[in-house]
Structures are given as structure tokens and as C-alpha cells.
Amino acid sequence: MLAVLPLRLGVNIDHVATVRNARGGDLPDPVRAALLAIEAGADGITAHLREDRRHIRDDDIVRLMAAIAKPLNFELAATAEMIAIATKTRPHAACLVPEKRTERTTEGGLDVVANKNQIRDATAQLKDAGIRVSLFIAADPAQIDAAAEVRAPVIEIHTGGWCEARTQGHRQDADAEWRRIVEGVDRAKALGLEIHAGHGLDYATAEQIAALAPIAELNIGHFLVGEAIFTGLADSIARMRAAMERGRMKAKAS
Ligand code: PXP
């Protein structure tokens, strides 16, 4: 029988800040959302401080660090400015992501292969500050090998392409993406990496990916905040936890 890890849920609160910033005031407060998410069963909070500060702002990171009792996973680009903020703030975890100003969300994974030296340096600086580092990458064998080479202890597999193909009914693409994820998880496990996954997950895709036993954490934001409009944040998180639990039961049974 496979060793099945407990599966953590990191709730990404960026889009609470997106709604706040649409009016330029203080409401809705992403820190309040983080506290509610923790009360509802989140194991941690994820927030992405983008270069253009389009959602999370610097003071949100400071307030989150002061207010939440669960780990903060700070998403950042590997720039000198962001590394300086992270090493000063010392969150529990940092996830290096690629960033383009023109993208609506983090579209692709980090290209570790092409930027090995920059990512190795950024990883070392964050690790030296006592921060657990993950690299947000596609489930591509070369990227997974490169993540291990630059000594990142954790990877987060970008599930966006798979989720999009699935919701748009592109069955063959979705199946191909899924196979890539399954093979990527096996490869990362063999290299001794801790494996997380995220982007575009909803109840159905979270349940499916939760059945992959080596995955330790899912980071989910947009869908949970969207569902919260209809049923409330505590409810969307509780339903997500239930979906993850159903998936994990399948992992335990296999
Ligand atoms: N993980 C990473 C690294 C991300 O950049 C994002 C999006 O900010 C997520 C997870 C969450 O994606 P979503 O908001 O689509 O659930």
C-alpha cells in the first residue's frame, strides 16, 4: 500500500484584494478573508505580491504576517525587490512564480531550465532566511529535474492547462495534460521533492488530483472566492475540503 500524505489546503486570497482594489478603498479586507478561511479549515494562506500590486499590497503582507496563526505562502517573482521583501518578512514559505505584467494570471510555469542561475540564487537566498522554497513549474520532466538541480525542496505543479482543457471539454488535451501531471508527480517523488499543485482547481479537479498520493498541498484561490459570492467563503472552503477528502480516500484505497 502507498504512503498517503495528509493533504493541506492553502487558500489564495488575492482575488479578495482584487475586489477591494476595484473601488480603491479598504473593503473587502483580504486579512479578514484569511482569518475566515483558517477558521473554515484552511491549513495556510497564499498571497501573491505582484510587481504592479494589482491585488495584494505590501501592507497586506505585513498585516497577514501579524494576524494569521497558520503558515503564509508568499508568491513572488525572482526579482531583487521581491526577494528583499520576502527575506525581510520571513513568511513560512515562498513560491517563486514567473510574472508578466500583461498576463491576467500566472499563465505558465517558471522556466527553471533557462534561468537556472537566477533561480538557484533566489532559492539559496530564501532558504538562508529560513523560508521553505517552492518553484511553480509545469509538469515537464526537464523543469522538474532542473528544480532538483537548483536545490529547491518543493515544486508546485501548474494545473492551469489541465483544468482549462477539462472545463472547456477538450477531452484529448485534458487527458494528455493529466498524464503529464501523473508522470511529473512520479518523477518529482523519485527525486525526493515535496509536491504541491495549483491553478484553476475547482471541486472536481481538486478531487481528482487529491487521489495522487504524493501530493502534499493544493493552493486554490479564484474558484473559492468566486463560489463565496453564492454560498459564502466558509461554505466553499468546507466543500473544497470535502472534495479533497474524497480524492484522498481513493488514494488510500489504491
Ligand atoms: N498557485 C500559484 C503558484 C498561483 O500563482 C496561483 C494563482 O495566483 C494559484 C496557485 C491559485 O490559482 P487559482 O486562483 O486559479 O486557484
Side-chain angles (χ1 to χ4, degrees):
M1 184 143 142
L2 279 169
V4 180
L5 297 167
L7 182 58
R8 298 188 298 267
L9 171 62
V11 172
N12 181 314
I13 51 153
D14 291 351
H15 296 303
V16 177
T18 304
V19 176
R20 175 195 62 192
N21 296 359
R23 276 289 166 100
D26 293 332
L27 302 175
D29 181 7
V31 177
R32 183 175 170 200
L35 293 171
L36 186 60
I38 289 168
E39 213 179 291
D43 297 297
I45 298 298
T46 295
H48 182 180
L49 185 66
R50 294 185 74 105
E51 191 193 5
D52 61 8
R53 312 303 199 262
R54 74 171 70 150
H55 37 58
I56 295 295
R57 304 188 296 227
D58 299 59
D59 66 302
D60 292 329
I61 297 290
V62 174
R63 290 189 309 121
L64 280 168
M65 284 295 289
I68 65 171
K70 292 272 169 112
L72 176 67
N73 175 32
F74 179 34
E75 290 180 3
L76 69 156
T79 62
E81 183 205 9
M82 287 300 154
I83 304 283
I85 294 172
T87 51
K88 188 170 155 233
T89 310
R90 291 176 188 256
H92 168 78
C95 180
L96 291 174
V97 300
E99 203 176 291
K100 287 192 224 114
R101 267 183 190 251
T102 50
E103 68 190 357
R104 259 185 293 176
T105 179
T106 314
E107 283 164 2
L110 202 58
D111 192 347
V112 189
V113 175
N115 301 287
K116 230 179 242 172
N117 289 340
Q118 185 199 9
I119 299 193
R120 185 186 283 113
D121 286 355
T123 301
Q125 284 182 62
L126 293 164
K127 279 168 69 179
D128 286 350
I131 303 166
R132 187 200 70 191
V133 183
S134 68
L135 305 183
F136 187 47
I137 56 173
D140 176 318
Q143 298 295 345
I144 294 167
D145 293 354
E149 240 180 86
V150 301
R151 300 189 167 278
V154 185
I155 59 163
E156 180 167 327
I157 292 182
H158 195 317
T159 51
W162 168 57
C163 293
E164 202 178 318
R166 211 170 174 280
T167 43
Q168 290 184 353
H170 299 150
R171 181 76 191 274
Q172 281 187 339
D173 290 349
D175 288 350
E177 287 290 333
W178 176 248
R179 277 194 301 277
R180 216 157 70 104
I181 291 171
V182 172
E183 285 163 18
V185 166
D186 285 345
R187 192 175 191 99
K189 182 170 180 265
L191 289 165
L193 295 163
E194 180 172 321
I195 310 161
H196 302 173
H199 211 282
L201 294 169
D202 60 12
Y203 298 138
T205 44
E207 180 173 338
Q208 186 171 335
I209 204 160
L212 300 181
I215 294 189
E217 181 175 307
L218 300 181
N219 285 302
I220 310 178
H222 186 263
F223 177 78
L224 289 173
V225 172
E227 281 297 289
I229 294 168
F230 305 108
T231 67
L233 190 57
D235 182 77
S236 66
I237 290 170
R239 283 176 197 242
M240 185 56 76
R241 283 234 77 115
M244 288 163 59
E245 193 49 37
R246 286 194 299 276
R248 225 27 18 166
M249 294 298 277
K250 287 181 208 152
K252 286 182 181 150
S254 64

